[in-house]
Amino acid sequence: MRELRQLSPHFHEKEFVYRTPEGELIAPSMDISFVQVLENLRQYLSLRLDTTVEGGYNGGWRSAAHEQGGGRKSQHCSGLAADLYSPSLDLQSLYRKVREFNDLDLGTFKGVGVYPQNNFLHLDTRRGEPVSWVRCDGEYFYL
């Protein structure tokens, strides 16, 4: 794996490294404009955001060959998404803060998914229309 680098003041590539089911580590290919919006959110919140979510899996970049949620169309495969949680905020409060952030001129997360059973938010900067959803008991409910 190539040497990893700092992407922004609060995010390093190591936070987005993908571990295949076989245990191989793959260096991420994160879109720098996405990381900048993520950094803006981090500064707006003044709170730590983690990309390693429940179960210990990395909520950042994933290869299309190993993506399970959105398949090959997943924003994770384009480096435009991350699954995050904050040790300082409950999920509902974090969701509200992201919605507030989206109303400011600091960047916009067009994809916002809430995963209450796993205690994380999916955030992405997809092209096209904004979409929000909740996943509960394996089903998606669009807001």
Side-chain angles (χ1 to χ4, degrees):
M1 187 167 61
R2 65 174 167 74
E3 187 173 327
L4 302 177
R5 67 190 197 289
Q6 191 73 32
L7 298 173
S8 71
H10 295 98
F11 293 98
H12 193 280
E13 274 188 310
K14 68 183 175 189
E15 296 178 75
F16 301 100
V17 167
Y18 177 70
R19 180 184 303 272
T20 69
E22 298 79 29
E24 178 186 0
L25 298 178
I26 301 175
S29 181
M30 297 304 294
D31 182 284
I32 199 64
S33 62
F34 169 76
V35 174
Q36 186 56 59
V37 177
L38 203 57
E39 177 65 28
N40 291 349
L41 174 65
R42 165 62 177 79
Q43 291 180 14
Y44 170 72
L45 295 173
S46 296
L47 295 171
R48 190 174 108 204
L49 295 172
D50 289 335
T51 60
T52 302
V53 298
E54 187 175 295
Y57 89 92
N58 185 305
W61 183 83
R62 294 197 272 287
S63 72
H66 296 101
E67 173 58 27
Q68 294 179 15
R72 295 184 188 281
K73 295 179 184 177
S74 170
Q75 302 302 309
H76 287 281
C77 298
S78 300
L80 296 172
D83 299 333
L84 301 166
Y85 81 98
S86 172
S88 306
L89 281 179
D90 63 82
L91 193 58
Q92 186 175 10
S93 298
L94 180 58
Y95 176 76
R96 275 197 299 263
K97 293 289 187 183
V98 168
R99 299 296 296 216
E100 289 172 13
F101 173 83
N102 274 350
D103 290 338
L104 304 173
D105 193 22
L106 300 171
T108 300
F109 293 106
K110 287 191 170 184
V112 180
V114 182
Y115 293 75
Q117 292 172 314
N118 302 98
N119 196 36
F120 72 84
L121 288 184
H122 165 97
L123 300 176
D124 70 56
T125 55
R126 68 185 62 211
R127 290 164 185 73
E129 293 299 312
V131 62
S132 294
W133 67 91
V134 175
R135 183 172 183 204
C136 192
D137 294 327
E139 292 189 56
Y140 291 90
F141 301 93
Y142 292 90
L143 308 174

